[in-house]
């Protein structure tokens, strides 16, 4: 019968986006960081046998692993990036690359914490349990101490994810929730007060906030926002102060030992409702291969900065919302959406009433000569929420060229899997082209980093919030 224990007997991987299990004997464990693979667990051998007939070339792994190890999924991100980035990346055998990197850093320093790998370990720190036929996805068993920072040993077009250790049933978005978004969409029309409010987002303040997060501002104590860096909790504390200055109430929400916490901020509703509109970004980042220096100016300092820009405008103009509003900055995104998965699950278990959520991840970069853009997800998300964002963009940020992007999967995926209406905003109507993607050179002061585009996309996020949460402003601010 269905897995009661936390570790299933078998883990099955299918190349398909998150969705309901192909058979009720399989429990959904989550989907991969590209949204292309889904994981299921079962303790039932008949169920495993039946899975062989599902058609799409799934794979099976023995999920048993020593308690001091973790299962980690690796996947190439290559289809989500522009040719210019792909060309710069040498063909590598990811596993030998990984092992060489781990061994060469025989004493790897992470903020003074020394981890010594002296070669006397009884087993390899990393062992492949499954590799797909194209070589673009692998399941590994990894020493538990190493697993959370495995991303620092990966070529940058590879992403890693800690495989969830317990099932989280896939919940489709209920029809009533989609209907609610359709109703908002139906009533969208130009509102001069909304236009005035969204235009209040200040580019100089966006720049100042982003430069603080990257450490480009020499007064900032932040050098890295890797989830495991000791600077990242400093960034979290700073975010709490900034958001609270704007009238929000914030809490630091730890989700996994060793990781910086989520930052969850809320503005109360002026009406008696449980409905909540949520905007988010991830404030953790990832640096170059072999480095934990992760300034993350674009990924995802830009999305985090957009939230701050919106919060500052809320405060300056005295905006109050009819519904509850949350602004969330997640951590652990780069290790497999860990912070948002924990939070989305918590909201689902609490019976939260999310009207919609919009994740902002990488908003500021476009190639030289390209117009400002807004990319929307073609794979993961709720089409009605995506349509709402597109229509509000046409109204309030007509300077943006709107289109779809294959750059998939940020924290909205966690909400999508829990049945909350969700979408994502991204910097290009096409694949990732930022040459500093997953690079320690991801600063704001460089060609292609466009604060005007960042403001334009933040305006769309803010307009989505105002139109879906309802608002009031003091008479002289209208
Ligand atoms: C949203 O925009 C599309 C494309 O411009 C348009 O066809 C549609 O009527 C708009 N929907 C609403 C409800 O305004
Ligand atoms: C935002 O609104 C405030 C208060 O009305 C005003 O003082 C400020 O100049 C505005 N800023 C921008 C960038 O529009
Ligand atoms: C708010 O609404 C709930 C459910 O409709 C109701 O039980 C409660 O009394 C209301 N509270 C206030 C303060 O009106
Ligand atoms: C969610 O909000 C709607 C609208 O206020 C309300 O009708 C519904 O009962 C709420 N659902 C929950 C689970 O609170
Ligand atoms: Zn990101």
């Amino acid at each position: 019968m269905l897995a009661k224990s936390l570790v299933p007997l078998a883990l099955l991987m299918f190349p398909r986006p998150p969705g309901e299990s192909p058979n009720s004997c399989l429990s959904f464990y989550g989907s991969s960081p590209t949204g292309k693979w889904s994981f299921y667990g079962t303790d039932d051998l008949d169920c495993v046998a039946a899975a062989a007939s599902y058609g799409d070339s799934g794979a099976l792994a023995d999920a048993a692993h020593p308690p001091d190890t973790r299962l980690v999924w690796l996947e190439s991100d290559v289809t989500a990036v522009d040719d210019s980035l792909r060309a710069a990346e040498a063909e590598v055998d990811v596993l030998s690359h990984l092992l060489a990197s781990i061994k060469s850093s025989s004493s790897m320093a992470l903020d003074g914490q020394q981890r010594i790998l002296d070669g006397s370990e009884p087993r390899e720190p990393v062992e492949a349990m499954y590799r797909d036929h194209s070589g673009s996805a692998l399941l590994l068993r990894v020493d538990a101490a190493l697993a959370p920072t495995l991303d620092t040993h990966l070529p940058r077009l590879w992403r890693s994810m800690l495989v969830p250790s317990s099932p989280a049933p896939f919940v489709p978005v209920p029809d009533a929730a989609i209907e609610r978004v359709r109703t908002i969409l139906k009533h969208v029309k130009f509102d001069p007060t909304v236009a005035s409010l969204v235009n209040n987002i200040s580019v100089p303040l966006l720049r100042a906030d982003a430069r603080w997060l990257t450490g480009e501002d020499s007064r900032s104590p932040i050098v890295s926002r890797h989830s495991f860096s000791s600077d990242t909790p400093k960034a979290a504390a700073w975010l709490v102060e900034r958001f609270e200055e704007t009238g929000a109430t914030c809490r630091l929400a730890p989700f996994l030992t060793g990781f910086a916490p989520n930052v969850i901020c809320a503005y109360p509703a002026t009406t008696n409702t449980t409905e909540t509109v949520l905007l988010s970004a991830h404030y953790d980042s990832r640096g170059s291969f072999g480095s934990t220096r992760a300034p993350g100016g674009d990924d995802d300092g830009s999305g985090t900065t957009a939230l701050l820009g919106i919060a500052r405008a809320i405060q300056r103009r005295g905006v109050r919302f009819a519904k509850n509003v949350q602004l969330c900055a997640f951590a652990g995104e780069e290790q497999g959406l860990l912070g948002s998965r924990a939070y989305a699950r918590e909201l689902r278990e609490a019976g939260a009433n999310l009207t919609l959520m919009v994740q902002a991840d990488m908003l500021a970069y476009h190639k030289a000569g390209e117009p400002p853009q807004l990319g929307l997800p073609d794979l993961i998300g709720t089409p009605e929420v995506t349509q709402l964002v597109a229509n509000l963009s046409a109204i309030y940020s007509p300077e943006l060229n709107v289109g779809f992007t294959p750059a998939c999967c940020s924290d909205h995926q966690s909400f999508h899997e829990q049945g909350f209406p969700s979408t994502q905003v991204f910097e290009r109507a096409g694949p990732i082209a930022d040459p500093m993607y997953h690079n320690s050179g991801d600063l704001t002061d460089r060609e292609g980093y466009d604060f005007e585009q960042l403001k334009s996309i933040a305006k769309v996020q803010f307009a989505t919030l105002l139109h879906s949460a309802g608002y009031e402003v003091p008479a002289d601010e209208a």
Side-chain angles (χ1 to χ4, degrees), residues 152-168:
T152 64
H153 297 285
L154 285 176
R156 71 168 171 171
L157 299 187
W158 283 78
R159 295 176 65 163
S160 66
M161 181 185 109
L162 289 170
V163 175
S165 55
S166 56

Side-chain angles (χ1 to χ4, degrees), residues 282 299-300 333-334 361-362:
H282 69 91
D299 186 8
D300 184 20
E333 196 272 353
E334 301 289 1
D361 195 354
M362 300 173 69

Side-chain angles (χ1 to χ4, degrees), residues 82 84 365-373 399 401 427-434 448 450 453:
D82 192 71
S84 56
Y365 183 85
H366 59 79
K367 283 187 181 178
E370 285 183 350
Q373 294 158 71
E399 66 278 15
N401 287 258
E427 65 202 5
R428 270 185 99 236
I432 297 169
D434 185 350
D450 181 354
Q453 173 174 296

Side-chain angles (χ1 to χ4, degrees), residues 352-398:
N353 201 355
L354 281 200
T355 315
L356 57 86
M357 71 81 67
V358 181
Q359 164 78 357
D361 195 354
M362 300 173 69
L363 303 184
Y365 183 85
H366 59 79
K367 283 187 181 178
E370 285 183 350
Q373 294 158 71
L374 168 61
L376 298 169
D378 54 7
L379 186 59
I380 303 288
T382 311
E384 288 78 5
V385 183
T386 304
Q387 184 71 60
L388 175 65
V389 169
N391 285 34
L392 289 167
S393 181
I395 295 174
Y396 297 106
S397 290

